Amino acid sequence: MQFKHLKHTEFTSSRLIYGCMRITGENSEADRKKGKAAIYSAIEAGYNHFDHADIYGGGECESLFGEILKESPSLRDDILITSKAGIRPKKKHSDYSPTRYDFSKQYILESVNGSLGRLGVEQLDLFMLHRPDFLMNVHEVAETFAILKASGKVKHFGVSNFKPSQVESLRSVMSMPLVANQVEINIHNIDTLIDGTLDQCQQHKITPIAWCPLGGVAYPAWGNTFTSEDEQRIEIELKLQAQKYQCQPWQVILAWLLLHPAGIFPIIGSTTPSRIAAAKVALDLQYSREDWYRLFEARNGETVP
Ligand SMILES: NC(=O)c1ccc[n+]([C@@H]2O[C@H](COP(=O)([O-])OP(=O)(O)OC[C@H]3O[C@@H](n4cnc5c(N)ncnc54)[C@H](OP(=O)(O)O)[C@@H]3O)[C@@H](O)[C@H]2O)c1
């Protein structure tokens, strides 16, 4: 595993983060067992940074992780735990309230308490706002962050799925730095390459964390718009590069993300131990600029101007 300093913090994070969104599956006994095995295999492979959210598995993912921390209490000192909040799912069909985003002080403070309780820890290393609340009051968010920091419940703060203008707006009123922006980046969704997100990350030393890094390749991305011809073109180029680098096509995709100078940290969400370990191969590929552009061209179906 490779490790890298997380700017604006005292932390060193594994270059691949393990994503805990799928660790409870359908929440059957067998799925939970599989999820635990996945976590242990991630630890074994050297991952020291684990990504959560209050809503993953309806809270069960954090609870399962809490069970592991109970089994191995000394683990807490060796790992970084990120969690997120701000999405309020509709609970039942009969609920009056729709699924919504909520960055109100009361809701965020309650959510963080919930995460700490389920994980069985006193502090989150990194807390992120999950998806931009259309009703976000940046002053209220800054005040909430300050309360969480002062109480010791959260060490550092970040955002997720924020556009550059939203990051800028929040940064302008915060008394502490924004450490990370967790966004979807993959061969299908390249928004962050062109909407200023990754430029802003470089400018302000905000760490970009890529969720769904294999979307569009290992499995269809959310809202996949690739045609079968697009997919074929990408597959041909990936196969060629996989041969050249003596690895698997999906590892090339991770290398494609890792080459970006903003220093993207991909989150690996597989629950298959062999894949969790094999993702590390991407860290050692001497991936070239030429191949980056070849894959970009295959993705776009045309050369850059
Ligand atoms: N901030 C946000 O809004 C947001 C949104 C989504 C996710 N996330 C975070 O990002 C993490 C990763 O997201 P993700 O789980 O969607 O991403 P992912 O790692 O790109 O994909 C995981 C899925 O792809 C399959 N897969 C992985 N590698 C594969 C391969 N080589 N070949 C075939 N299938 C493969 C996995 O199946 P197996 O399990 O069977 O291997 C799993 O179903 C999540 O766990 C969560 O922590 C954040």
Side-chain angles (χ1 to χ4, degrees), residues 217-239:
V217 179
Y219 66 103
W222 298 16
N224 198 355
T225 52
F226 280 149
T227 62
S228 51
E229 285 111 67
D230 293 334
E231 281 171 358
Q232 252 177 4
R233 246 188 356 257
I234 295 166
E235 199 183 318
I236 291 169
E237 182 59 29
L238 274 177
K239 267 199 187 138

Side-chain angles (χ1 to χ4, degrees), residues 17-23 34 50-53 56 84 87 128-131 159-161 182-184 186 209-215 217-219 222 248-251 254 266-273 275-276:
I17 297 172
Y18 184 73
C20 298
M21 183 175 75
R22 302 174 192 269
I23 60 171
K34 186 176 173 210
F50 293 84
D51 182 69
H52 284 274
Y56 290 167
K84 308 185 274 301
I87 301 176
M128 292 176 181
L129 299 169
H130 204 154
R131 278 188 180 274
V159 291
S160 176
N161 301 304
Q182 186 179 123
V183 282
E184 181 179 3
N186 52 48
I209 297 179
W211 60 264
C212 201
L214 301 174
V217 179
Y219 66 103
W222 298 16
Q248 297 176 41
W250 63 274
Q251 293 163 332
L254 293 178
I267 317 182
I268 304 302
S270 169
T271 50
T272 308
R275 284 181 185 154
I276 295 169

